[in-house]
Coordinates of all heavy atoms in Angstrom, one line a residue:
Chain A
M56 N -70.6 37.2 -94.4 CA -69.9 37.4 -95.6 C -68.6 38.2 -95.4 O -68.7 39.3 -94.9 CB -70.8 38.2 -96.6 CG -70.3 38.4 -98.0 SD -70.2 36.9 -98.9 CE -69.5 37.5 -100.5
I57 N -67.5 37.7 -95.7 CA -66.2 38.4 -95.4 C -65.6 39.0 -96.7 O -64.5 39.5 -96.6 CB -65.2 37.5 -94.7 CG1 -65.0 36.2 -95.5 CG2 -65.7 37.2 -93.3 CD1 -63.9 35.4 -95.0
Y58 N -66.3 39.0 -97.9 CA -65.9 39.6 -99.1 C -66.9 40.5 -99.7 O -68.0 40.2 -99.5 CB -65.4 38.5 -100.1 CG -64.2 37.8 -99.7 CD1 -64.2 36.5 -99.0 CD2 -62.9 38.3 -100.1 CE1 -63.1 35.9 -98.7 CE2 -61.7 37.7 -99.7 CZ -61.8 36.4 -99.0 OH -60.7 35.8 -98.7
P59 N -66.4 41.5 -100.4 CA -67.4 42.3 -101.1 C -68.0 41.5 -102.2 O -67.5 40.6 -102.8 CB -66.6 43.5 -101.7 CG -65.2 43.0 -101.7 CD -65.1 42.0 -100.6
K60 N -69.3 41.8 -102.4 CA -70.0 41.1 -103.4 C -69.5 41.3 -104.9 O -69.3 42.4 -105.3 CB -71.5 41.6 -103.4 CG -72.4 40.7 -104.3 CD -73.1 39.6 -103.5 CE -73.9 38.7 -104.4 NZ -73.6 37.3 -104.4
R61 N -69.2 40.2 -105.5 CA -68.7 40.4 -106.9 C -69.5 39.4 -107.7 O -70.1 38.5 -107.2 CB -67.2 39.9 -107.0 CG -66.2 40.7 -106.1 CD -65.8 42.0 -106.7 NE -65.3 41.9 -108.1 CZ -64.6 42.8 -108.7 NH1 -64.3 43.9 -108.1 NH2 -64.1 42.6 -109.9
L62 N -69.5 39.6 -109.0 CA -70.2 38.8 -109.9 C -69.7 37.4 -109.9 O -68.5 37.2 -110.0 CB -70.2 39.4 -111.3 CG -71.3 39.0 -112.3 CD1 -72.6 39.6 -111.8 CD2 -70.9 39.5 -113.6
N63 N -70.5 36.4 -109.7 CA -69.9 35.0 -109.7 C -69.6 34.5 -111.1 O -70.0 35.1 -112.1 CB -70.7 34.0 -108.8 CG -72.0 33.5 -109.6 OD1 -72.0 33.4 -110.8 ND2 -73.0 33.3 -108.9
S64 N -68.8 33.5 -111.1 CA -68.2 33.1 -112.4 C -69.2 32.7 -113.5 O -69.1 32.9 -114.6 CB -67.2 31.9 -112.2 OG -67.9 30.8 -111.7
R65 N -70.3 32.1 -113.0 CA -71.4 31.6 -113.9 C -72.1 32.8 -114.5 O -72.3 32.9 -115.7 CB -72.4 30.7 -113.1 CG -73.4 30.1 -114.1 CD -74.4 29.2 -113.4 NE -73.7 28.0 -112.9 CZ -74.4 27.0 -112.2 NH1 -75.7 27.2 -111.9 NH2 -73.8 25.9 -111.9
E68 N -69.7 34.7 -116.9 CA -69.5 34.0 -118.1 C -70.7 34.3 -119.0 O -70.6 34.5 -120.3 CB -69.4 32.5 -117.9 CG -68.9 31.6 -119.0 CD -67.6 32.0 -119.5 OE1 -66.7 32.5 -118.7 OE2 -67.4 31.9 -120.7
I71 N -70.5 37.8 -120.3 CA -69.5 37.9 -121.5 C -70.0 37.3 -122.7 O -69.8 37.9 -123.8 CB -68.2 37.1 -121.0 CG1 -67.5 37.8 -119.8 CG2 -67.2 37.0 -122.2 CD1 -66.5 36.9 -119.1
E75 N -70.5 39.2 -126.3 CA -69.8 38.7 -127.5 C -70.8 38.4 -128.6 O -70.6 38.8 -129.8 CB -69.0 37.4 -127.2 CG -67.7 37.7 -126.4 CD -67.0 36.4 -125.9 OE1 -67.7 35.3 -126.0 OE2 -65.9 36.5 -125.5
S114 N -62.6 44.8 -121.3 CA -62.0 43.6 -120.7 C -60.8 44.0 -119.9 O -60.6 43.5 -118.7 CB -61.6 42.7 -121.8 OG -60.6 41.8 -121.4
I117 N -62.0 45.7 -116.5 CA -62.5 44.7 -115.5 C -61.4 43.9 -114.9 O -61.3 43.7 -113.8 CB -63.6 43.8 -116.2 CG1 -64.8 44.8 -116.6 CG2 -64.1 42.8 -115.3 CD1 -65.7 44.2 -117.7
R118 N -60.5 43.4 -115.9 CA -59.4 42.5 -115.4 C -58.6 43.3 -114.3 O -58.1 42.7 -113.4 CB -58.6 42.2 -116.6 CG -57.8 40.9 -116.5 CD -56.9 40.7 -117.7 NE -57.8 40.4 -118.8 CZ -58.1 39.2 -119.2 NH1 -57.8 38.2 -118.4 NH2 -58.9 38.9 -120.2
N119 N -58.3 44.6 -114.5 CA -57.4 45.3 -113.6 C -58.2 46.1 -112.6 O -57.6 46.9 -111.9 CB -56.5 46.2 -114.4 CG -55.6 45.4 -115.3 OD1 -54.9 44.5 -114.8 ND2 -55.7 45.5 -116.6
R121 N -60.1 48.6 -112.8 CA -60.2 50.1 -113.0 C -61.3 50.5 -113.8 O -61.8 49.8 -114.6 CB -58.9 50.5 -113.9 CG -57.6 50.3 -113.1 CD -56.6 51.1 -113.8 NE -55.3 50.7 -113.3 CZ -54.2 50.8 -114.1 NH1 -54.3 51.3 -115.2 NH2 -53.1 50.5 -113.6
F173 N -69.7 44.8 -113.8 CA -68.5 44.2 -113.2 C -68.0 45.0 -112.1 O -67.4 44.6 -111.1 CB -67.5 43.8 -114.2 CG -67.8 42.6 -115.0 CD1 -68.5 42.7 -116.2 CD2 -67.6 41.4 -114.6 CE1 -68.9 41.6 -117.0 CE2 -67.9 40.2 -115.3 CZ -68.6 40.3 -116.5
K176 N -69.0 49.0 -107.8 CA -68.6 50.0 -106.8 C -68.4 51.3 -107.4 O -68.4 52.3 -106.7 CB -67.3 49.5 -106.2 CG -67.5 48.5 -105.2 CD -67.6 49.0 -103.8 CE -67.9 48.0 -102.7 NZ -68.2 48.7 -101.4
Chain B
R316 N -49.2 41.1 -114.4 CA -50.5 41.3 -114.0 C -51.3 39.9 -113.7 O -52.1 39.7 -113.0 CB -51.3 42.1 -114.9 CG -51.0 43.6 -114.7 CD -51.9 44.5 -115.6 NE -51.4 45.9 -115.5 CZ -51.7 46.7 -114.5 NH1 -52.5 46.3 -113.5 NH2 -51.2 47.9 -114.5
E376 N -61.7 47.2 -99.4 CA -61.5 46.1 -100.3 C -62.6 46.1 -101.4 O -63.8 46.1 -101.1 CB -61.6 44.8 -99.6 CG -61.3 43.5 -100.5 CD -61.5 42.2 -99.7 OE1 -61.9 42.3 -98.4 OE2 -61.2 41.2 -100.3
I377 N -62.2 46.2 -102.7 CA -63.2 46.2 -103.8 C -62.9 45.1 -104.8 O -63.8 44.7 -105.5 CB -63.4 47.6 -104.5 CG1 -62.0 48.1 -104.9 CG2 -64.1 48.6 -103.6 CD1 -62.1 49.3 -105.9
T378 N -61.7 44.6 -104.8 CA -61.4 43.6 -105.9 C -61.1 42.3 -105.3 O -61.4 42.0 -104.2 CB -60.3 44.2 -106.8 OG1 -60.1 43.3 -107.9 CG2 -59.0 44.3 -106.0
Y379 N -60.7 41.3 -106.2 CA -60.4 40.0 -105.8 C -59.1 39.9 -105.0 O -58.3 40.8 -105.1 CB -60.3 39.1 -107.0 CG -61.5 39.1 -107.9 CD1 -61.5 39.9 -109.0 CD2 -62.6 38.4 -107.5 CE1 -62.6 39.9 -109.9 CE2 -63.7 38.4 -108.4 CZ -63.7 39.2 -109.5 OH -64.9 39.3 -110.3
D385 N -50.6 47.4 -108.2 CA -50.1 48.4 -109.1 C -49.5 49.5 -108.3 O -50.1 50.2 -107.5 CB -51.3 49.0 -109.9 CG -50.9 49.9 -111.0 OD1 -49.8 50.4 -110.9 OD2 -51.7 50.1 -111.9
R387 N -48.5 52.4 -109.0 CA -49.0 53.8 -109.2 C -50.3 54.0 -108.4 O -50.5 55.2 -108.0 CB -49.3 54.0 -110.7 CG -48.1 54.1 -111.5 CD -48.5 54.0 -113.0 NE -49.0 52.7 -113.2 CZ -49.4 52.3 -114.4 NH1 -49.4 53.0 -115.5 NH2 -49.9 51.0 -114.6
Y399 N -62.6 45.2 -95.0 CA -64.0 45.0 -95.5 C -64.9 44.6 -94.3 O -64.5 43.5 -93.7 CB -64.1 44.0 -96.6 CG -65.5 43.8 -97.1 CD1 -66.2 44.8 -97.8 CD2 -66.2 42.6 -96.7 CE1 -67.5 44.6 -98.2 CE2 -67.6 42.4 -97.1 CZ -68.2 43.4 -97.9 OH -69.5 43.2 -98.2
K402 N -63.1 42.8 -91.4 CA -61.9 42.1 -91.9 C -60.8 43.0 -92.3 O -61.1 44.0 -93.0 CB -62.2 41.2 -93.0 CG -61.2 40.3 -93.5 CD -61.6 39.3 -94.6 CE -62.1 40.0 -95.7 NZ -61.5 39.6 -97.0
I482 N -61.9 30.8 -115.1 CA -62.8 32.0 -114.9 C -62.2 33.1 -115.8 O -61.0 33.3 -115.7 CB -62.9 32.4 -113.5 CG1 -63.1 31.2 -112.5 CG2 -64.0 33.4 -113.3 CD1 -62.9 31.6 -111.1
R483 N -63.0 33.8 -116.5 CA -62.5 34.8 -117.3 C -62.4 36.2 -116.6 O -62.9 36.3 -115.5 CB -63.3 34.9 -118.6 CG -63.1 33.7 -119.4 CD -63.2 34.0 -120.9 NE -64.7 33.8 -121.3 CZ -65.2 34.1 -122.5 NH1 -64.3 34.6 -123.4 NH2 -66.4 34.0 -122.8
L484 N -61.8 37.1 -117.3 CA -61.7 38.5 -116.8 C -61.0 38.7 -115.4 O -61.3 39.6 -114.6 CB -63.1 39.2 -116.7 CG -63.8 39.4 -118.0 CD1 -65.2 39.9 -117.9 CD2 -63.0 40.3 -119.0
H491 N -62.7 29.2 -98.3 CA -62.0 29.0 -97.0 C -62.8 27.8 -96.3 O -63.9 27.9 -96.1 CB -62.0 30.1 -96.0 CG -61.4 31.4 -96.7 ND1 -60.1 31.7 -96.9 CD2 -62.1 32.5 -97.2 CE1 -60.0 32.8 -97.6 NE2 -61.1 33.4 -97.7
L661 N -53.9 33.6 -98.0 CA -54.2 33.3 -99.4 C -53.0 33.5 -100.2 O -52.2 34.4 -100.0 CB -55.4 34.2 -99.9 CG -56.7 34.1 -99.2 CD1 -56.8 35.2 -98.1 CD2 -57.8 34.4 -100.2
R690 N -63.1 27.4 -113.1 CA -64.5 27.7 -113.0 C -65.3 26.7 -112.1 O -66.3 27.0 -111.6 CB -65.1 27.7 -114.4 CG -66.0 28.9 -114.7 CD -66.6 28.9 -116.0 NE -65.7 29.2 -117.1 CZ -66.0 29.0 -118.4 NH1 -67.2 28.6 -118.7 NH2 -65.1 29.3 -119.3
N714 N -65.7 33.9 -101.4 CA -66.1 35.2 -102.0 C -67.1 35.0 -103.0 O -67.4 35.9 -103.8 CB -64.8 35.9 -102.6 CG -64.2 35.2 -103.8 OD1 -64.6 34.0 -104.0 ND2 -63.2 35.7 -104.4
E715 N -67.7 33.8 -103.1 CA -68.8 33.5 -104.0 C -68.6 33.6 -105.5 O -69.5 33.8 -106.2 CB -70.1 34.2 -103.5 CG -70.6 33.8 -102.1 CD -71.8 34.5 -101.6 OE1 -72.4 35.3 -102.4 OE2 -72.2 34.2 -100.5
V716 N -67.3 33.6 -105.9 CA -67.1 33.7 -107.3 C -67.5 32.3 -107.9 O -68.1 32.3 -109.0 CB -65.6 34.0 -107.6 CG1 -65.2 33.7 -109.0 CG2 -65.3 35.5 -107.3
N717 N -67.1 31.3 -107.2 CA -67.5 29.9 -107.7 C -68.6 29.5 -106.7 O -68.5 29.7 -105.5 CB -66.4 29.0 -107.7 CG -65.6 29.0 -109.0 OD1 -66.0 29.5 -109.9 ND2 -64.4 28.4 -108.9
E718 N -69.6 28.8 -107.2 CA -70.6 28.3 -106.4 C -70.1 27.1 -105.6 O -69.3 26.3 -106.1 CB -71.8 27.9 -107.2 CG -72.7 29.0 -107.6 CD -73.9 28.7 -108.4 OE1 -74.3 27.4 -108.5 OE2 -74.4 29.6 -109.1

Side-chain angles (χ1 to χ4, degrees):
Chain A
M56 186 69 182
I57 55 169
Y58 286 96
K60 186 94 185 125
R61 302 281 304 199
L62 205 66
N63 74 34
S64 61
R65 188 180 288 181
E68 194 59 32
I71 294 164
E75 283 174 349
S114 155
I117 295 157
R118 205 183 289 274
N119 297 304
R121 287 197 197 155
F173 284 94
K176 279 266 173 190
Chain B
R316 283 186 188 276
E376 180 183 7
I377 53 167
T378 186
Y379 303 102
D385 189 338
R387 289 166 297 180
Y399 180 72
K402 184 174 65 127
I482 312 169
R483 291 207 273 175
L484 295 174
H491 308 287
L661 299 92
R690 226 184 287 172
N714 65 351
E715 294 179 3
V716 166
N717 275 343
E718 280 176 19

